[in-house]
Amino acid sequence: MSSISPLTSTSSTTNTSSTTSSSSTNPFAPAIKFNGVISGLNTTAIISALMQAYEQPQVDIQNQINALKTNLNDYQQLSSDFLNLQTAANNLNSASDWQVTSATTSNPAVATASTTSGATPSTISFNVDQLAQGNVVAGANTVSSLSSTVASSNFLLSSSAAGFGVSSLAGSSLAVGTHSFDVTQALTGGTATGTSALASSVTIGSANDTISATVNGTAETFTIASGTYTPSQLAQAISTASTVSGTALLNAKVNSRGQLEVGTSLLGSSASLQITGGTALSALGLSTQSAASVGTAGSITLDGTTTAINNVQSGTTTSLTDGSGGTITMGIGAFGLAKGSFSATEVSAGNGSLSSVVANINAANTGVTASAVQVGTNAYILQLASNTTGTSGNITVESAPFSSTLGSFNTVTAGQNAVISVGGSSGYELSSQTNTVTGVLPGVSINLVSAQAPGSSPVTLSVTPDGTKMATQVQALVNAANQALSDINKYAGYNAATKTGGPLMGNANLNALTSQILGVIANEVGANGTTAASAGITLNKNGSIDFNASAFAQAYDANPSQVASLFTQGGTLSASSNAYSGSVTLSYASNATQPGSYAVVVSHSATQAVDTGSVVASGAITGAETLSFTSGGATATYAASAGESLSSIAAGVNASFASAGLALAASVKTTSSGSQLVISSQNYGSSQSFTVATSGTTGQLGLTAGGTTYTGTDVAGTIDGVAATGSGQFLTAPLNNPTLAGLSLQVTATGITSATNLGNFTYTTGIAGGMGTTGYGASDPTTGSLTNTITSINQQISNLQQQYNAYTPMIQSEQQMLQQEFNNMEVQLGSLKNQGSYLAGEIAQLP
């Protein structure tokens, strides 16, 4: 017997003159296997005719299933359309989605630029002083052939160690391959960093040539030689000026922001530096330090074995072991060792020949490319080139194995950072390891193409709104809306030409969705009365949306924020009093949030974590006191000295906060009877907490008088009468609320301690938000109107399928019964025929 399925059917040809195989009119019934042999009747046709009426209910059910499946496909396509509409709308929903800009330069042969979403319209001028380049070194001596011996043993090679302060490497009994270094604790000296960038040219004379500092506990005054310096030259002049008995007490360099950095040549916990004064500070961008900067002991791990390093002089070496019998002698740079990881590779010298060394270096993947360069007849040199630009990619190669043949390695090309001068002689320098410079303007990357000669005209970089880019995203939204409208018309509309309606014609939900899409375009108004038409979006008579990209780009370039306000979510507070004007702003709204006006009632304002000290009448402390502040697992400490003013203490504490990465701030509050030191979290809410501890002459600042732990509070209140959750200054309605659906408002009103009506906040969706809401309302996997329809159709199909399947065994039974009856008839006819033949024979024998 054949299987029964609504997805398959069979057919066959009936031959009335012989026994053949055929099917009934029901394609799912078992095949009828016979015709009448005795009777001569076409029993197949007779049974099929009898079965047609019996099978008709099942055929009707199948037709209903097929019709529902057609409708299901239509609704699934529409649901996909509205999901696409929601996605396109969400790409334009918030103000950050509209920060689309482009960057141009006045001289693309010198520099070009590009922007990201964080860029804002602005202009800046700069000169390209030098391009970044990779380090290239070469042996001082030549050899006569590629087979000449150049290395007496294996050697260490690195293109990353220099960037962490390593000046040299030498190995002993090391395994060939990569060796890993991890500086878990930086080795530093006392440091001071300029608060502003150095000018591109600094002149030092008798009126501005001294630096007074306490270095490693000893007061010193250094005099810089008179002259006009570039920033890098000035750094060297400071090192020279600090030389005492042949040893420079200070090292200096210019950082990537163009600021001067000064550090002790002694590195470790015994090193300290406090800039105390001097006539050169203004020219150097330095300021006095309220407390000494103390160095730190270093810790470095080589292949899993850790070595502590403390109180060593920059330029000296230290010995590291790898835990398996190998050692590395490492030179320490002028500013110690920076925290981080790098590697060096013990390269096999092979047979020591030039060709073998070159091949083995290139196979080792060290970030260095080796070459055997022929510089004359029977004259070759070994050249090593860093694969990266900038000083961090400088090559560190162990020189001893090469010294007997190649001598030392000479610098062919110094690894250097790219340098640009911003703002001319009164501006600052900025360096980059690559020829891509970031940080000059937010969200802007500058690609340096060529360096300029001194005195060249600066390059002007302009960041402007890019309406053309923005139009592409708006076009995607319009396309998604038109696709949804087109498919609704296809499935539910009326074709006047053919005078036929779609299979879903008259569906009220689909008609409502059409009205919602078109209503968003027709009704939304942005800032200063901006309409969709003024941004190039209009409605056509055929029920579609037209978008003029050129008109949009022109409007956007003229006033980006005004056009953006037409599309983005927003809202305003109708304050209950002037005191609360502007105190409530939109933070977030979901696609399910309904536009409307909602009362905002706050029972408690958000607060910072605040510790207010005692009033100090004199404004200064009498004895030394050390303050410790802990927040989020990090601690900042400041040692206040006897007689120090509260303003000086606040400055020192803030510097300590910045160094430790604590989001805290110190300030001084002045009262009629004196001053108070106030410590507060930078942010609001119960997640903001810190503890305070003091030692020394405790209690004079009063920071622990009220306890040692200080915590902020979250805003509390309701939106539209619905209890909302407070987190810092943000008041958020429940996501499952059908109207508010997660609406989050930032409340900045302060001082509220009881239920206070701030006013009504009116939330508007904008075009993108309105389209997103429409898309969400139709296609949400749980509550969407189209989703519910699809679920209902699937359930109907399932129910009908059960009914269909219930008929199948009855149809099979009926067909088997008919077959059996006709079989019985043939048997009876055969018996009668046999009896007739017998009787005829008997009669024929009668006399």
Side-chain angles (χ1 to χ4, degrees):
M1 185 178 295
S2 62
S3 61
I4 299 172
S5 168
L7 302 179
T8 59
S9 62
T10 60
S11 63
S12 59
T13 303
T14 301
N15 185 340
T16 58
S17 63
S18 63
T19 301
T20 62
S21 188
S22 177
S23 73
S24 69
T25 56
N26 180 359
F28 314 116
I32 300 172
K33 303 285 186 183
F34 66 95
N35 281 323
V37 176
I38 303 301
S39 65
L41 298 175
N42 187 348
T43 54
T44 298
I46 295 171
I47 293 174
S48 294
L50 292 172
M51 288 298 300
Q52 283 183 1
Y54 199 84
E55 294 166 349
Q56 191 59 47
Q58 193 179 49
V59 172
D60 293 342
I61 292 173
Q62 183 60 53
N63 291 336
Q64 293 179 60
I65 290 174
N66 292 340
L68 285 172
K69 285 184 175 181
T70 299
N71 290 346
L72 179 64
N73 290 335
D74 296 343
Y75 278 112
Q76 287 173 333
Q77 178 60 55
L78 290 170
S79 180
S80 176
D81 290 342
F82 278 89
L83 179 60
N84 292 337
L85 176 63
Q86 180 185 355
T87 300
N90 287 344
N91 291 334
L92 296 170
N93 222 3
S94 65
S96 61
D97 297 324
W98 287 78
Q99 294 179 355
V100 177
T101 56
S102 60
T104 57
T105 64
S106 59
N107 192 344
V110 173
T112 60
S114 60
T115 63
T116 63
S117 60
T120 57
S122 50
T123 301
I124 198 168
S125 295
F126 60 90
N127 286 91
V128 180
D129 299 330
Q130 67 181 36
L131 296 180
Q133 61 187 25
N135 184 208
V136 180
V137 299
N141 300 330
T142 63
V143 293
S144 60
S145 69
L146 297 177
S147 60
S148 299
T149 299
V150 295
S152 59
S153 64
N154 300 340
F155 53 91
L156 274 171
L157 178 64
S158 175
S159 62
S160 57
F164 291 85
V166 176
S167 59
S168 64
L169 290 170
S172 175
S173 302
L174 289 175
V176 170
T178 300
H179 296 269
S180 299
F181 299 76
D182 186 11
V183 181
T184 56
Q185 175 60 54
L187 175 66
T188 67
T191 60
T193 302
T195 56
S196 59
L198 291 169
S200 57
S201 177
V202 179
T203 300
I204 299 294
S206 59
N208 66 342
D209 62 352
T210 62
I211 302 174
S212 296
T214 300
V215 182
N216 306 328
T218 302
E220 305 279 359
T221 297
F222 308 119
T223 301
I224 306 171
S226 297
T228 299
Y229 299 96
T230 65
S232 59
Q233 291 170 340
L234 185 57
Q236 181 57 49
I238 292 171
S239 297
T240 302
S242 71
T243 300
V244 176
S245 301
T247 300
L249 297 180
L250 300 177
N251 293 313
K253 66 178 181 178
V254 181
N255 65 20
S256 62
R257 297 294 303 172
Q259 300 160 326
L260 181 67
E261 289 187 12
V262 179
T264 59
S265 59
L266 178 65
L267 306 169
S269 59
S270 296
S272 63
L273 174 64
Q274 182 177 10
I275 304 295
T276 57
T279 59
L281 298 192
S282 178
L284 302 180
L286 295 173
S287 58
T288 58
Q289 296 172 287
S290 58
S293 169
V294 180
T296 59
S299 178
I300 184 168
T301 300
L302 169 63
D303 295 339
T305 300
T306 300
T307 301
I309 311 173
N310 194 23
N311 298 328
V312 296
Q313 198 71 21
S314 62
T316 59
T317 61
T318 189
S319 181
L320 310 175
T321 59
D322 67 356
S324 59
T327 61
I328 290 179
T329 301
M330 182 178 67
I332 300 173
F335 279 79
L337 300 175
K339 188 176 181 179
S341 301
F342 58 93
S343 64
T345 301
E346 179 79 347
V347 180
S348 170
N351 62 12
S353 68
L354 177 59
S355 60
S356 179
V357 167
V358 168
N360 288 350
I361 289 175
N362 291 335
N365 296 319
T366 61
V368 175
T369 298
S371 304
V373 181
Q374 186 172 8
V375 295
T377 303
N378 298 326
Y380 296 85
I381 60 170
L382 172 61
Q383 177 177 284
L384 308 178
S386 176
N387 296 342
T388 59
T389 58
T391 56
S392 292
N394 281 349
I395 296 169
T396 305
V397 59
E398 185 177 359
S399 58
F402 299 97
S403 59
S404 62
T405 53
L406 298 181
S408 61
F409 279 93
N410 295 333
T411 299
V412 177
T413 302
Q416 68 180 29
N417 300 336
V419 177
I420 65 172
S421 299
V422 181
S425 60
S426 61
Y428 60 90
E429 284 189 347
L430 185 65
S431 69
S432 170
Q433 293 287 330
T434 69
N435 287 316
T436 299
V437 180
T438 59
V440 179
L441 293 173
V444 178
S445 294
I446 303 173
N447 178 47
L448 307 182
V449 179
S450 62
Q452 295 174 285
S456 297
S457 299
V459 176
T460 299
L461 185 155
S462 299
V463 180
T464 57
D466 196 329
T468 301
K469 285 183 183 177
M470 204 67 238
T472 301
Q473 297 185 42
V474 175
Q475 182 71 69
L477 175 62
V478 172
N479 289 347
N482 278 332
Q483 184 63 56
L485 292 170
S486 174
D487 282 343
I488 289 176
N489 187 57
K490 173 182 176 181
Y491 300 129
Y494 179 76
N495 189 323
T498 62
K499 295 182 180 181
T500 58
L504 308 178
M505 189 176 70
N507 185 283
N509 180 40
L510 296 182
N511 291 336
L513 290 174
T514 296
S515 297
Q516 289 174 34
I517 292 175
L518 299 178
V520 167
I521 301 298
N523 299 328
E524 285 295 338
V525 178
N528 298 322
T530 306
T531 63
S534 66
I537 302 177
T538 54
L539 299 179
N540 294 322
K541 291 182 179 180
N542 63 2
S544 64
I545 303 170
D546 184 63
F547 179 57
N548 186 322
S550 297
F552 171 87
Q554 184 176 0
Y556 181 79
D557 289 341
N559 197 328
S561 60
Q562 185 168 295
V563 173
S565 71
L566 174 66
F567 286 84
T568 57
Q569 297 170 326
T572 56
L573 177 71
S574 298
S576 60
S577 72
N578 290 334
Y580 303 128
S581 180
S583 64
V584 180
T585 54
L586 177 67
S587 172
Y588 168 80
S590 71
N591 288 137
T593 303
Q594 299 302 307
S597 184
Y598 307 116
V600 180
V601 177
V602 171
S603 56
H604 196 290
S605 299
T607 63
Q608 299 161 291
V610 179
D611 180 12
T612 302
S614 303
V615 174
V616 180
S618 64
I621 58 175
T622 57
E625 183 173 356
T626 299
L627 306 171
S628 294
F629 306 89
T630 301
S631 178
T635 298
T637 302
Y638 179 74
S641 57
E644 188 172 357
S645 68
L646 264 63
S647 59
S648 175
I649 294 173
V653 169
N654 281 328
S656 182
F657 287 159
S659 177
L662 297 186
L664 302 176
S667 60
V668 177
K669 179 181 179 181
T670 302
T671 69
S672 59
S673 55
S675 302
Q676 297 168 283
L677 185 64
V678 180
I679 309 298
S680 61
S681 62
Q682 295 177 3
N683 300 313
Y684 289 77
S686 59
S687 63
Q688 306 302 306
S689 179
F690 63 89
T691 60
V692 182
T694 69
S695 61
T697 308
T698 61
Q700 56 190 330
L701 289 170
L703 292 176
T704 57
T708 59
T709 301
Y710 303 89
T711 305
T713 56
D714 298 316
V715 65
T718 62
I719 303 174
D720 198 34
V722 178
T725 301
S727 177
Q729 293 181 315
F730 298 92
L731 198 61
T732 304
L735 276 171
N736 60 2
N737 183 277
T739 301
L740 301 176
L743 176 67
S744 182
L745 305 175
Q746 183 176 15
V747 180
T748 58
T750 60
I752 298 174
T753 57
S754 61
T756 302
N757 179 19
L758 302 188
N760 287 342
F761 183 84
T762 301
Y763 165 65
T764 55
T765 62
I767 289 177
M771 292 293 189
T773 297
T774 300
Y776 172 85
S779 64
D780 178 71
T782 303
T783 62
S785 59
L786 294 178
T787 303
N788 291 337
T789 300
I790 290 170
T791 301
S792 175
I793 293 175
N794 276 321
Q795 185 61 52
Q796 292 178 61
I797 291 174
S798 178
N799 293 338
L800 288 171
Q801 188 64 59
Q802 292 178 20
Q803 296 177 37
Y804 180 96
N805 293 340
Y807 272 101
T808 299
M810 292 187 293
I811 292 171
Q812 291 174 337
S813 178
E814 178 70 14
Q815 182 171 296
Q816 290 171 357
M817 182 189 69
L818 291 173
Q819 289 173 340
Q820 185 62 47
E821 289 178 347
F822 276 95
N823 281 334
N824 292 339
M825 180 188 72
E826 291 295 324
V827 170
Q828 292 297 324
L829 289 175
S831 176
L832 291 173
K833 183 177 181 181
N834 289 336
Q835 292 179 22
S837 297
Y838 171 77
L839 290 173
E842 291 296 321
I843 291 171
Q845 295 178 9
L846 291 174

